[in-house]
Amino acid sequence: MNLVASPLDSAKAAFRCVIPAGEPWIHEIKKHQHFRIVDLHGNQAVDTLFYNARDYSDRYSSTDTIQQQCNIYLTTGTKLMSTGGTLLLTIVADTCGRHDTLGGACANESNMVRYALEKRHMHACRSSFLKAVIEWDHGMTKRDITSNINFFMNVPVTPEGKLTFEDGISEPGKYVEMRAETDVLAMISNCPQLNNPCNAYNPTPVEVLIWDDPKL
């Protein structure tokens, strides 16, 4: 873990928005802007995708990000890389300390397989991503929804190489903050999952904030 607090004042943010539990959010972040996600109530999983805003086919890559930093978890100093080798964002502050990049997004199908047949109808992050893509209406399709980051989610890897979904390690008010290294499109599904302990079985709102380039 690399815990670092941000010097930026939330009262001076150029943009801020509360994302309700279970809802999607999509927004462009300009180069050098700072982007913060705040876990308002603690242990809320925030499924997130990033794209090069100039070319949506150049998107966040968990493989390239893990390879670049030789670490499966994200924290302060992590460089979020794209499929095309573009540096999308750098994590510049983190008061939680560790974020998952392997667990993926819940889907109706995985709800059924992982939990029970009758869980298939339950809302899932992939559905939220699809809703965001449709509402954005900029030519993206379900093919553009790939492996995502799970901010604030605790997904340990066992010595046997298996993923386990455990109680969260975040707390109310914890946040992660990134600096955009190019123009970026951010897409969030504020996870609606009710079937695993990552959010104490209680999805809650999160807040997003954007600051203009602090050097300007």
Side-chain angles (χ1 to χ4, degrees):
M1 294 187 182
N2 191 4
L3 302 179
V4 175
S6 170
L8 297 181
D9 183 353
S10 59
K12 296 181 179 179
F15 174 91
R16 62 191 306 174
C17 174
V18 172
I19 308 173
E23 289 299 313
W25 178 84
I26 190 166
H27 195 89
E28 283 195 2
I29 304 164
K30 298 299 183 182
K31 183 177 180 178
H32 296 152
Q33 286 186 324
H34 282 227
F35 173 54
R36 182 186 297 177
I37 305 172
V38 184
D39 188 4
L40 293 175
H41 297 275
N43 295 336
Q44 174 60 20
V46 185
D47 291 43
T48 307
L49 288 164
F50 293 111
Y51 304 81
N52 184 336
R54 301 175 191 136
D55 178 6
Y56 296 151
S57 67
D58 188 28
R59 59 180 72 91
Y60 165 77
S61 168
S62 59
T63 302
D64 291 283
T65 298
I66 291 169
Q67 184 179 42
Q68 199 277 339
Q69 64 167 346
C70 299
N71 194 329
I72 61 173
Y73 300 114
L74 311 181
T75 188
T76 308
T78 298
K79 298 181 184 299
L80 304 181
M81 305 302 297
S82 78
T83 52
T86 304
L87 172 55
L88 298 175
L89 307 101
T90 300
I91 298 179
V92 294
D94 181 16
T95 60
C96 176
R98 192 176 76 184
H99 307 271
D100 167 62
T101 194
L102 295 177
C106 58
N108 297 103
E109 294 79 7
S110 63
N111 281 340
M112 176 183 67
V113 172
R114 186 178 294 163
Y115 305 114
L117 288 174
E118 60 269 22
K119 304 289 187 179
R120 180 169 184 166
H121 74 281
M122 297 182 71
H123 187 52
C125 282
R126 187 164 177 83
S127 301
S128 288
F129 283 141
L130 287 169
K131 181 181 178 183
V133 163
I134 292 170
E135 291 179 348
W136 184 242
D137 194 24
H138 278 57
M140 298 175 75
T141 71
K142 63 182 180 181
R143 290 185 177 182
D144 294 298
I145 301 170
T146 54
S147 297
N148 60 283
I149 298 167
N150 293 308
F151 285 114
F152 309 111
M153 193 167 174
N154 185 24
V155 186
V157 178
T158 69
E160 295 76 29
K162 295 182 179 180
L163 300 181
T164 60
F165 295 85
E166 305 293 344
D167 292 343
I169 59 173
S170 186
E171 297 175 350
K174 298 292 185 182
Y175 60 81
V176 58
E177 184 177 309
M178 292 150 274
R179 180 182 61 241
E181 307 295 358
T182 188
D183 292 345
V184 170
L185 178 70
M187 183 160 62
I188 284 175
S189 167
N190 192 20
C191 186
Q193 186 57 255
L194 293 167
N195 298 293
N196 73 50
C198 65
N199 57 10
Y201 307 100
N202 179 37
T204 53
V206 298
E207 185 177 33
V208 290
L209 303 93
I210 299 173
W211 288 262
D212 291 328
D213 185 350
K215 296 180 182 178
L216 297 179

